[in-house]
Amino acid sequence: MPEQPRTAAVTAVVAGVPVDTRHWIGGRRVASAGTFTDRSPIDGRALAEVSRGGAAEAGAAVAAAAAAFPGWAATPRAERARLLHAVADGVQQRLEELAQVETADNGALLRSHRRGVMPRVAHNFRFFADRLLTLDHEDFETRGHSNHVSWDPAGPCVLITPWNAPLMLASWKVAPALAAGNTVVLKPAEWSPLTASLLADIAAEAGLPDGVLNVVQGLGDEAGAALVSHPDVRRISFTGSVPTARRIAGAAAANLTPVSLELGGKSPLLVFADADLDLAVDLAVEQYDNAGQVCLAGTRLLVESSIAEEFLRRFAVRAAALTPGDPRDEATDLGPTVHRRQLDRIDGFVRRALDAGARAVVGGGPDEDLGGLHYRPTLLTDVAQDSEIVQEEVFGPVLTLQTFDTEDEAVELANGTRFGLAAVLATGDPERADRVTARLVAGTVWVNCFFVRDLRAPFGGSRHSGIGREGGSWSFDFYCDLKNTVTAPKGGPGHG
């Protein structure tokens, strides 16, 4: 594919920031014959015509990653770490631009991007750069023989990221994959591809060698399918839906390619009568963050019967105080959903639940005053445990409330879905907290708090919420081939 000249046709200006809409392959910009339209969820306007990759672009990107792999894998740890810190510096320097572009692209709050999300992107690169330098396992002996564990780079990695936190979740995968000595092909979601292109620019400016990071844009059934089925790919990491994960796992199985899957959730938020009720209500309302488009959200409120009425009263007051609106406004608490298809999907779940007998005590439909892609924060009661609205991930600002009378009943309800990503527990009894958390099926449990994340901790889900763990050394375990070298003692042959 010939290199294309940089012209207005391949550059979009988003929130005043020029964004190249072509792929980044082998250290150069490459255009496709076709494009797809990327629209802002804020007002529906077209932000960019983005190069629509397919099998040819996927193949070229994997080839570029494979060609760059030997040199990058042989790069000393300290140099790889230095370059990742340089990428973090670039993110920090362009933090406002990244925040503005991502808000325009996916509709999440600008204040969150400025204060939390984009600083976290830089932190992700710094954390894994530093972790690389301390990655070690103590040598040990077996009948006089020494054992030495090492983490060998695996090869080209395909990383497929979602639209709800595009750059942060990309950095959560890209940083450890690169730190481990692998090369990367990043495929961003087609509903929010723009900051991945800016990341390619930042990485190039930081001095990352050509082909070490590649970005291929396009649709999942085209570019994504070609990437995950490529025989030269050594690792696949995906964050997204269960149905897509099944297709990826099937394609990866044909090549025996290891996969890491961070999937959906239907997490419970348990509130016991001994909880600080104001804190519990605050935690529950916090689940509307990012218009409910958060995989970890505790969308199933499980409240002890004796306090349910008072909990509902306080919750309704707090939810009514949320300010919906333009996500670029500092006063806005609740922005739009990401896409018309997503809004319709959310509303479909709610309408079917209402038809089945659920009651909307808060919200219950699109925001008619704001229009567009705004959906009112919603809380549904009178829902059965086996109902669709309780069992399936909505991924919008929709919560359900069920009551329980005993600790056993609370745990049974909490574990009563096919998911196991996270759980939130509100209680004033430390012994109860220990008992309940030990019984919950979840990758992360928060007790009297929510969304406190540390990269030193493992992250991932159980059951249909995923395969594998990321964070800390767990990321390196996935992105590397672990090797144990056994050496005989000096002065004679060894036998196992």
Side-chain angles (χ1 to χ4, degrees):
M1 288 174 289
E3 185 172 1
Q4 304 295 316
R6 187 182 179 92
T7 67
V10 295
T11 303
V13 178
V14 180
V17 180
V19 182
D20 200 306
T21 59
R22 298 171 293 179
H23 314 286
W24 179 252
I25 299 175
R28 60 193 180 98
R29 291 290 178 178
V30 176
S32 296
T35 63
F36 63 92
T37 303
D38 179 35
R39 295 187 179 277
S40 175
I42 298 173
D43 52 18
R45 69 184 179 88
L47 294 175
E49 292 297 321
V50 181
S51 280
R52 180 172 173 171
E57 292 83 357
V62 173
F69 172 67
W72 182 244
T75 300
R77 285 187 179 189
E79 177 62 7
R80 293 205 302 265
R82 184 191 69 78
L83 288 168
L84 291 182
H85 273 291
V87 172
D89 291 342
V91 169
Q92 200 66 43
Q93 291 162 8
R94 301 187 66 177
L95 189 146
E96 179 65 19
E97 294 181 3
L98 292 166
Q100 292 279 354
V101 170
E102 191 140 296
T103 291
D105 206 13
N106 83 334
L109 299 184
L110 179 58
R111 72 172 191 233
S112 295
H113 281 142
R114 283 171 169 160
R115 299 172 191 172
V117 177
M118 295 308 163
R120 179 60 181 262
V121 172
H123 173 67
N124 286 348
F125 279 99
R126 296 195 195 284
F127 173 87
F128 286 108
D130 292 341
R131 190 74 172 194
L132 170 65
L133 299 180
T134 62
L135 190 64
D136 195 15
H137 189 292
E138 184 178 352
D139 290 351
F140 55 97
E141 286 194 2
T142 305
R143 297 189 297 277
H145 299 66
S146 67
N147 291 260
H148 176 74
V149 177
S150 58
W151 285 259
D152 292 354
C157 300
V158 165
L159 313 178
I160 301 179
T161 51
W163 44 260
N164 58 322
L167 191 57
M168 197 282 287
L169 291 175
S171 66
W172 172 248
K173 298 178 186 297
V174 170
L178 293 180
N182 300 316
T183 51
V184 163
V185 180
L186 171 63
K187 194 285 185 186
E190 55 264 33
W191 288 353
S192 55
L194 300 182
T195 49
S197 181
L198 294 177
L199 178 62
D201 292 337
I202 290 169
E205 291 163 4
L208 212 63
D210 293 350
V212 170
L213 173 66
N214 306 273
V215 177
V216 174
Q217 300 147 157
L219 310 186
D221 289 343
E222 298 171 358
L227 287 169
V228 299
S229 61
H230 200 292
D232 292 338
V233 171
R234 295 291 177 257
R235 295 289 188 275
I236 298 169
S237 181
F238 168 74
T239 298
S241 71
V242 171
T244 302
R246 287 195 179 104
R247 294 194 292 272
I248 290 172
N255 297 312
L256 295 180
T257 306
V259 297
S260 173
L261 305 173
E262 197 272 280
L263 309 179
K266 194 69 179 176
S267 302
L269 192 161
L270 299 87
V271 182
F272 286 90
D274 56 23
D276 178 329
L277 199 54
D278 286 331
L279 170 65
V281 169
D282 286 344
L283 291 172
V285 173
E286 192 177 349
Q287 309 310 306
Y288 290 132
D289 182 50
N290 200 21
Q293 299 168 134
V294 178
C295 60
L296 292 162
T299 57
R300 294 185 296 127
L301 309 184
L302 307 177
V303 182
E304 193 161 350
S305 299
S306 62
I307 60 168
E309 185 176 343
E310 179 62 16
F311 177 91
L312 268 175
R313 186 189 69 78
R314 298 191 196 187
F315 181 93
V317 172
R318 283 282 289 106
L322 293 173
T323 301
D326 190 321
R328 297 166 294 192
D329 189 330
E330 281 282 316
T332 295
D333 298 312
L334 199 72
T337 56
V338 72
H339 194 278
R340 173 59 59 180
R341 292 214 311 262
Q342 186 65 11
L343 181 79
D344 292 344
R345 182 178 184 274
I346 294 165
D347 196 43
F349 272 109
V350 172
R351 289 181 180 276
R352 290 190 296 274
L354 294 174
D355 289 344
R359 181 167 62 97
V361 295
V362 174
D367 191 320
E368 297 87 354
D369 295 330
L370 288 173
L373 300 182
H374 292 268
Y375 203 87
R376 289 184 292 164
T378 294
L379 176 62
L380 303 177
T381 61
D382 301 335
V383 293
Q385 178 66 12
D386 62 355
S387 63
E388 178 193 54
I389 196 67
V390 170
Q391 292 294 322
E392 299 298 327
E393 185 179 42
V394 178
F395 219 64
V398 178
L399 311 180
T400 60
L401 187 143
Q402 299 166 272
T403 60
F404 62 85
D405 293 312
T406 67
E407 194 173 292
D408 285 344
E409 185 183 1
V411 172
E412 183 179 1
L413 290 171
N415 290 339
T417 75
R418 62 194 172 110
F419 296 102
L421 186 56
V424 186
L425 174 61
T427 178
D429 183 345
E431 292 183 357
R432 167 173 278 149
D434 290 343
R435 287 195 308 269
V436 173
T437 56
R439 298 173 64 190
L440 292 175
V441 179
T444 300
V445 180
W446 285 284
V447 179
N448 295 324
C449 60
F450 177 63
F451 219 59
V452 178
R453 295 276 300 276
D454 192 312
L455 282 175
R456 292 171 295 181
F459 176 75
S462 304
R463 296 176 176 171
H464 284 206
S465 286
I467 296 173
R469 293 293 185 269
E470 296 179 283
S473 298
W474 294 275
S475 287
F476 288 98
D477 289 348
F478 173 71
Y479 287 113
C480 291
D481 289 326
L482 271 75
K483 178 191 295 178
N484 185 46
T485 301
V486 183
T487 304
K490 293 182 179 179
H495 301 281

